[in-house]
Amino acid sequence: MNIEQMIDMKELKALKLELTRFMMAYKFALDEMNTKINILKDEFNYIHDYNPIEHVKSRIKSPESIFKKVYRKGYNFSLASIKENVRDIAGIRITCSFKSDIYELSNMIAGQKDVRVVDYKDYIKNPKPNGYQSLHLILEIPIFMSDREELTYVEVQIRTIAMDFWASLEHKIYYKYNKEVPNQMVAELKEAAVMAEELDSKMERLHKEISEIKQAEHEKEEEMSLMNGSFNLPFIEYLLQKK
Ligand code: 0O2
């Protein structure tokens, strides 16, 4: 008996197609979210005159990590169960300049008509015992395929540069010590998280002071130019500069 007789080729092809379409939905979900984030970034940049988003990184969880999670959590191995239970297959990490940007951005995302927030974890107001800080959202967004609409989960993590710096170092240390980090290092990491929080607060205070001065200057300039009869459209100028 040859291999083709042993395996039902038709079934195998159908499975391959099903798996490809399963993973494709997550890729499209990331494309859609990245477009939303870029639009918000441009609009925010214009309104507040600074860039609230320092960095955006997206990833699709590898099949190996998906299966590890399914096994670890004891979920059923069917595609329907994976889709419902593993809600971080599509993941986006947004690094913001300031803490207030995190909440403003998350409200803007959550307020969109086609976005449903299914889970919200605020590890900034309530940091994890190890010091981890970040805002986690699980969103459900519709993806329009050729023959159907697919509701897809996307995990969005939003944090400041300082929180991100801390989290990536902590992640490296955690794996370096194979999840058994020495007590002294745990304490130092906690201390570093507190320092990161202090830095974020201080930077935000300074930023607010500068913004207020800039805003007052801007209002004065605008009044002067209106009095002189000039009527320019700064957003159009801003778009032209971007080209
Ligand atoms: P990866 O590779 O980043 O995806 P669950 O997601 O269901 O397993 P839980 O507790 O409901 O677990 O999720 P939670 O608390 O929202 O955290 C999920 C993700 O947040 C993690 O994903 C990490 O990316 C990040 N995270 C959470 N806690 C910590 C922490 O203490 N340190 C660091 N560095 N990151 C953290 P994964 O699945 O671990 O991995």
Side-chain angles (χ1 to χ4, degrees):
M1 195 190 272
N2 67 28
I3 186 109
E4 281 183 21
Q5 285 167 315
M6 282 166 61
I7 305 169
D8 185 338
M9 291 309 280
K10 246 187 176 170
E11 230 173 71
L12 200 62
K13 276 184 191 162
L15 181 67
K16 192 178 159 197
L17 183 69
E18 202 184 346
L19 276 175
T20 308
R21 294 194 83 190
F22 181 81
M23 293 309 283
M24 264 168 101
Y26 293 102
K27 195 245 172 223
F28 298 148
L30 287 183
D31 289 346
E32 204 172 299
M33 281 309 299
N34 277 317
T35 304
K36 284 182 185 295
I37 293 163
N38 276 332
I39 291 173
L40 292 175
K41 182 176 162 178
D42 269 4
E43 196 197 358
F44 196 110
N45 205 343
Y46 170 66
I47 295 170
H48 299 281
D49 201 22
Y50 77 92
N51 191 357
I53 297 174
E54 292 287 337
H55 195 70
V56 181
K57 205 173 145 195
S58 49
R59 65 105 182 90
I60 301 237
K61 215 175 181 73
S62 67
E64 194 197 356
S65 303
I66 297 174
F67 290 131
K68 266 190 193 161
K69 189 162 181 174
V70 170
Y71 182 73
R72 182 164 47 87
K73 301 254 181 181
Y75 300 138
N76 192 300
F77 266 93
S78 70
L79 283 187
S81 146
I82 294 174
K83 182 175 157 61
E84 187 47 35
N85 295 306
V86 185
R87 298 179 173 186
D88 63 345
I89 294 179
I92 300 190
R93 190 169 290 155
I94 307 172
T95 316
C96 285
S97 313
F98 304 103
K99 228 195 277 186
S100 56
D101 296 338
I102 297 176
Y103 293 105
E104 201 164 340
L105 189 66
S106 104
N107 285 339
M108 289 194 287
I109 294 173
Q112 302 203 351
K113 227 168 70 185
D114 56 347
V115 172
R116 189 169 78 89
V117 180
V118 289
D119 195 21
Y120 181 95
K121 284 187 200 149
D122 190 344
Y123 294 125
I124 299 171
K125 290 208 173 85
N126 304 298
K128 282 198 164 182
N130 62 357
Y132 177 77
Q133 289 189 78
S134 194
L135 186 71
H136 289 191
L137 307 173
I138 300 287
L139 308 176
E140 187 185 59
I141 58 167
I143 303 301
F144 299 97
M145 312 282 259
S146 58
D147 58 347
R148 65 187 194 279
E149 181 187 323
E150 191 88 38
L151 290 171
T152 309
Y153 292 124
V154 179
E155 186 195 58
V156 181
Q157 298 181 351
I158 319 178
R159 46 173 88 148
T160 62
I161 306 166
M163 292 172 197
D164 192 52
F165 189 30
W166 183 94
S168 52
L169 183 67
E170 190 268 353
H171 189 262
K172 272 184 213 149
I173 292 174
Y174 192 67
Y175 282 97
K176 166 104 184 122
Y177 286 99
N178 209 8
K179 304 180 185 178
E180 307 235 338
V181 184
N183 285 343
Q184 192 228 336
M185 204 164 260
V186 170
E188 281 193 277
L189 273 169
K190 185 84 195 270
E191 206 181 301
V194 172
M195 286 164 84
E197 205 282 314
E198 282 168 3
L199 177 66
D200 272 337
S201 299
K202 189 168 270 188
M203 298 295 268
E204 179 130 22
R205 266 201 312 277
L206 286 170
H207 166 72
K208 230 174 140 195
E209 274 177 38
I210 297 163
S211 293
E212 279 165 11
I213 297 170
K214 262 172 84 180
Q215 180 64 21
E217 280 174 3
H218 176 73
E219 277 169 19
K220 231 187 225 165
E221 272 170 28
E222 204 169 43
E223 277 170 24
M224 291 287 280
S225 81
L226 278 173
M227 269 168 21
N228 290 336
S230 99
F231 187 76
N232 55 3
L233 294 170
F235 187 61
I236 304 293
E237 282 164 24
Y238 161 76
L239 285 180
L240 292 173
Q241 272 167 22
K242 275 200 93 188
K243 292 225 156 167

